Coordinates of all heavy atoms in Angstrom, one line a residue:
R89 N -4.9 0.4 26.3 CA -5.4 -0.7 25.4 C -4.8 -2.0 25.7 O -5.4 -3.1 25.5 CB -5.3 -0.3 24.0 CG -6.2 0.8 23.5 CD -6.1 1.1 22.0 NE -6.9 2.2 21.7 CZ -6.5 3.3 21.1 NH1 -5.3 3.4 20.6 NH2 -7.3 4.3 20.8
W90 N -3.5 -2.0 26.0 CA -2.8 -3.3 26.2 C -2.0 -3.2 27.5 O -0.8 -3.3 27.5 CB -1.8 -3.5 25.0 CG -2.5 -3.8 23.7 CD1 -3.1 -5.0 23.4 CD2 -2.8 -2.9 22.6 NE1 -3.7 -4.8 22.1 CE2 -3.5 -3.6 21.7 CE3 -2.4 -1.6 22.4 CZ2 -3.9 -3.0 20.5 CZ3 -2.8 -1.0 21.2 CH2 -3.6 -1.7 20.3
P91 N -2.7 -3.1 28.6 CA -2.0 -2.9 29.9 C -1.2 -4.1 30.3 O -0.2 -3.9 31.1 CB -3.2 -2.7 30.9 CG -4.4 -3.3 30.2 CD -4.2 -3.2 28.7
E92 N -1.5 -5.3 29.9 CA -0.7 -6.5 30.3 C 0.5 -6.8 29.3 O 1.2 -7.7 29.6 CB -1.6 -7.7 30.3 CG -2.8 -7.5 31.2 CD -2.4 -7.2 32.7 OE1 -1.5 -7.8 33.2 OE2 -3.1 -6.4 33.3
A93 N 0.6 -6.0 28.3 CA 1.7 -6.3 27.3 C 3.1 -5.9 27.9 O 3.3 -4.8 28.2 CB 1.4 -5.5 26.0
P94 N 4.0 -6.9 28.0 CA 5.3 -6.6 28.5 C 6.1 -5.6 27.7 O 6.8 -4.8 28.2 CB 6.0 -8.0 28.5 CG 5.0 -9.0 28.3 CD 3.8 -8.3 27.6
R95 N 5.8 -5.5 26.4 CA 6.6 -4.6 25.5 C 6.3 -3.2 25.8 O 7.2 -2.3 25.8 CB 6.3 -4.9 24.0 CG 7.0 -6.2 23.6 CD 7.3 -6.4 22.2 NE 7.9 -5.2 21.5 CZ 7.5 -4.7 20.4 NH1 6.5 -5.3 19.7 NH2 8.0 -3.7 19.9
I96 N 5.0 -2.8 26.1 CA 4.7 -1.4 26.4 C 5.3 -1.1 27.8 O 5.9 0.0 27.9 CB 3.2 -1.1 26.3 CG1 3.0 0.4 26.4 CG2 2.4 -1.8 27.4 CD1 3.6 1.2 25.3
G97 N 5.2 -2.0 28.7 CA 5.8 -1.7 30.0 C 7.3 -1.5 29.9 O 7.9 -0.6 30.6
A98 N 8.0 -2.3 29.1 CA 9.4 -2.2 29.0 C 9.8 -0.9 28.3 O 10.8 -0.2 28.7 CB 10.0 -3.4 28.2
L99 N 9.0 -0.5 27.3 CA 9.3 0.8 26.6 C 9.1 2.0 27.6 O 9.9 2.9 27.6 CB 8.4 0.9 25.4 CG 8.5 2.3 24.6 CD1 9.9 2.5 24.1 CD2 7.4 2.3 23.5
L100 N 8.0 1.9 28.3 CA 7.8 3.0 29.3 C 8.8 3.1 30.3 O 9.3 4.2 30.7 CB 6.4 2.9 29.9 CG 5.2 2.9 29.0 CD1 3.9 2.6 29.7 CD2 5.1 4.3 28.3
A101 N 9.3 2.0 30.8 CA 10.3 2.0 31.9 C 11.6 2.5 31.3 O 12.3 3.3 31.9 CB 10.5 0.5 32.4
E102 N 12.0 2.1 30.1 CA 13.2 2.6 29.4 C 13.2 4.1 29.3 O 14.1 4.8 29.6 CB 13.4 1.9 28.0 CG 14.5 2.5 27.2 CD 14.5 2.0 25.8 OE1 13.7 1.1 25.4 OE2 15.4 2.5 25.0
L103 N 12.1 4.6 28.8 CA 11.9 6.0 28.5 C 12.0 6.8 29.9 O 12.6 7.9 30.0 CB 10.7 6.4 27.8 CG 10.7 5.9 26.3 CD1 9.3 6.1 25.7 CD2 11.7 6.5 25.5
A104 N 11.3 6.3 30.9 CA 11.3 7.0 32.2 C 12.7 7.0 32.8 O 13.1 8.0 33.4 CB 10.4 6.3 33.1
L105 N 13.5 6.0 32.6 CA 14.9 5.9 33.1 C 15.8 6.8 32.3 O 16.7 7.4 32.9 CB 15.4 4.5 33.1 CG 15.0 3.6 34.2 CD1 15.5 2.1 33.9 CD2 15.6 4.1 35.5
Q106 N 15.6 6.9 31.0 CA 16.6 7.6 30.2 C 16.2 9.0 29.8 O 17.1 9.8 29.4 CB 16.9 6.8 28.9 CG 17.5 5.4 29.2 CD 17.9 4.7 27.9 OE1 18.2 5.3 26.9 NE2 17.9 3.4 28.0
S107 N 15.0 9.4 30.1 CA 14.6 10.7 29.7 C 13.8 11.4 30.9 O 12.6 11.1 31.1 CB 13.7 10.7 28.5 OG 13.1 12.0 28.2
P108 N 14.4 12.3 31.6 CA 13.7 13.0 32.6 C 12.5 13.8 32.0 O 11.4 13.9 32.7 CB 14.7 14.0 33.2 CG 16.0 13.4 32.9 CD 15.8 12.6 31.6
E109 N 12.6 14.2 30.8 CA 11.5 14.9 30.2 C 10.3 14.0 30.0 O 9.1 14.4 30.3 CB 11.9 15.5 28.8 CG 10.9 16.2 28.0 CD 11.3 16.6 26.7 OE1 12.3 16.1 26.1 OE2 10.7 17.5 26.1
F110 N 10.5 12.8 29.5 CA 9.5 11.8 29.4 C 8.8 11.5 30.8 O 7.6 11.5 30.9 CB 10.0 10.5 28.8 CG 8.9 9.4 28.8 CD1 8.0 9.3 27.8 CD2 8.8 8.5 29.9 CE1 6.9 8.4 27.9 CE2 7.8 7.5 29.9 CZ 6.9 7.5 28.9
A111 N 9.7 11.3 31.8 CA 9.2 11.0 33.1 C 8.2 12.1 33.6 O 7.2 11.8 34.2 CB 10.3 10.7 34.1
A112 N 8.6 13.3 33.4 CA 7.8 14.4 33.9 C 6.5 14.5 33.1 O 5.4 14.7 33.7 CB 8.6 15.8 33.7
L113 N 6.5 14.3 31.8 CA 5.3 14.4 31.0 C 4.4 13.2 31.4 O 3.2 13.4 31.4 CB 5.6 14.4 29.5 CG 6.2 15.7 29.0 CD1 6.7 15.5 27.6 CD2 5.1 16.8 29.0
W114 N 5.0 12.0 31.6 CA 4.2 10.9 31.9 C 3.5 11.1 33.3 O 2.3 10.7 33.4 CB 5.1 9.6 32.0 CG 4.3 8.4 32.2 CD1 4.1 7.7 33.4 CD2 3.6 7.6 31.2 NE1 3.3 6.6 33.2 CE2 3.0 6.5 31.9 CE3 3.4 7.8 29.9 CZ2 2.2 5.6 31.2 CZ3 2.6 6.8 29.2 CH2 2.0 5.8 29.8
A115 N 4.1 11.8 34.2 CA 3.5 12.1 35.5 C 2.4 13.0 35.4 O 1.5 13.1 36.2 CB 4.6 12.6 36.4
D116 N 2.3 13.8 34.3 CA 1.2 14.8 34.1 C 0.0 14.1 33.6 O -1.1 14.7 33.6 CB 1.6 15.8 33.0 CG 2.5 16.9 33.6 OD1 2.6 17.0 34.8 OD2 3.1 17.6 32.7
H117 N 0.1 12.8 33.2 CA -1.0 12.0 32.7 C -1.7 12.6 31.4 O -3.0 12.5 31.4 CB -2.1 11.8 33.8 CG -1.5 11.2 35.0 ND1 -1.2 9.8 35.1 CD2 -1.2 11.7 36.2 CE1 -0.7 9.6 36.3 NE2 -0.7 10.7 37.0
P118 N -1.0 13.1 30.5 CA -1.7 13.5 29.2 C -2.3 12.3 28.4 O -1.6 11.3 28.4 CB -0.7 14.3 28.5 CG 0.6 13.6 28.9 CD 0.4 13.2 30.3
V119 N -3.4 12.5 27.9 CA -4.0 11.5 27.0 C -4.4 12.2 25.7 O -5.1 13.3 25.8 CB -5.2 10.8 27.6 CG1 -5.8 9.8 26.6 CG2 -4.7 10.0 28.9
R120 N -4.1 11.7 24.5 CA -4.4 12.4 23.3 C -5.0 11.4 22.3 O -4.5 10.3 22.2 CB -3.2 13.0 22.6 CG -2.4 14.0 23.4 CD -2.9 15.4 23.1 NE -2.0 16.4 23.6 CZ -2.0 16.9 24.8 NH1 -2.8 16.4 25.7 NH2 -1.3 17.9 25.2
T121 N -6.1 11.7 21.7 CA -6.7 10.8 20.7 C -6.8 11.5 19.3 O -7.6 11.1 18.5 CB -8.1 10.4 21.1 OG1 -8.9 11.6 21.2 CG2 -8.1 9.6 22.4
C122 N -6.0 12.5 19.0 CA -6.1 13.2 17.8 C -5.5 12.4 16.6 O -4.3 11.9 16.7 CB -5.3 14.5 17.9 SG -5.6 15.6 16.5
A123 N -6.2 12.3 15.6 CA -5.8 11.5 14.4 C -5.1 12.4 13.3 O -4.6 11.9 12.4 CB -6.9 10.7 13.8
T124 N -5.2 13.7 13.5 CA -4.6 14.7 12.6 C -3.8 15.7 13.4 O -4.3 16.3 14.3 CB -5.7 15.3 11.8 OG1 -6.5 14.3 11.1 CG2 -5.1 16.3 10.7
H125 N -2.7 16.0 12.9 CA -1.8 17.1 13.5 C -1.3 17.9 12.3 O -0.9 17.4 11.3 CB -0.7 16.6 14.3 CG -1.0 15.6 15.3 ND1 -1.1 14.2 15.0 CD2 -1.3 15.7 16.6 CE1 -1.4 13.6 16.1 NE2 -1.6 14.5 17.1
T126 N -1.2 19.2 12.5 CA -0.4 20.1 11.6 C 0.8 20.6 12.4 O 0.6 21.2 13.5 CB -1.3 21.2 11.1 OG1 -2.3 20.6 10.3 CG2 -0.4 22.1 10.1
R127 N 2.0 20.4 11.9 CA 3.2 20.7 12.7 C 4.2 21.4 11.8 O 4.3 21.1 10.6 CB 3.9 19.5 13.2 CG 3.2 18.7 14.2 CD 4.1 17.6 14.8 NE 3.3 16.6 15.5 CZ 2.7 16.8 16.6 NH1 2.8 17.9 17.3 NH2 2.0 15.8 17.1
A128 N 5.0 22.2 12.4 CA 6.2 22.7 11.8 C 7.4 21.7 11.9 O 7.4 21.0 13.0 CB 6.6 24.1 12.4
Y129 N 8.2 21.6 10.9 CA 9.4 20.8 11.0 C 10.6 21.7 10.6 O 10.4 22.6 9.8 CB 9.3 19.7 10.0 CG 8.2 18.6 10.3 CD1 6.9 18.9 10.0 CD2 8.6 17.5 10.9 CE1 5.9 18.0 10.4 CE2 7.6 16.5 11.3 CZ 6.3 16.8 11.0 OH 5.3 15.9 11.3
R130 N 11.7 21.3 11.1 CA 13.0 21.9 10.7 C 13.9 20.8 10.2 O 14.6 20.2 10.9 CB 13.6 22.5 12.0 CG 14.7 23.5 11.9 CD 15.1 24.1 13.2 NE 14.9 23.2 14.3 CZ 14.4 23.5 15.5 NH1 14.0 24.7 15.8 NH2 14.2 22.6 16.5
H131 N 13.7 20.6 8.9 CA 14.4 19.5 8.2 C 15.9 19.8 7.8 O 16.1 20.9 7.3 CB 13.6 19.0 7.0 CG 14.0 17.6 6.6 ND1 15.1 17.4 5.8 CD2 13.5 16.4 7.0 CE1 15.2 16.1 5.6 NE2 14.3 15.5 6.3
P132 N 16.8 18.9 8.1 CA 18.2 19.2 7.8 C 18.6 19.3 6.4 O 19.6 19.9 6.0 CB 19.0 18.1 8.5 CG 18.0 17.0 8.6 CD 16.7 17.6 8.8
V133 N 17.7 18.8 5.5 CA 18.0 18.8 4.0 C 17.2 19.9 3.3 O 17.8 20.6 2.5 CB 17.7 17.4 3.4 CG1 17.9 17.4 1.9 CG2 18.6 16.3 4.0

Side-chain angles (χ1 to χ4, degrees):
R89 287 185 185 129
W90 293 282
E92 305 299 321
R95 288 203 44 226
I96 190 65
L99 176 62
L100 297 173
E102 174 190 354
L103 293 173
L105 278 172
Q106 294 186 30
S107 172
E109 179 182 21
F110 173 83
L113 286 169
W114 187 259
D116 283 345
H117 302 285
V119 177
R120 302 265 194 278
T121 61
C122 188
T124 302
H125 306 91
T126 299
R127 296 191 197 284
Y129 293 80
R130 193 176 31 224
H131 198 275
V133 175

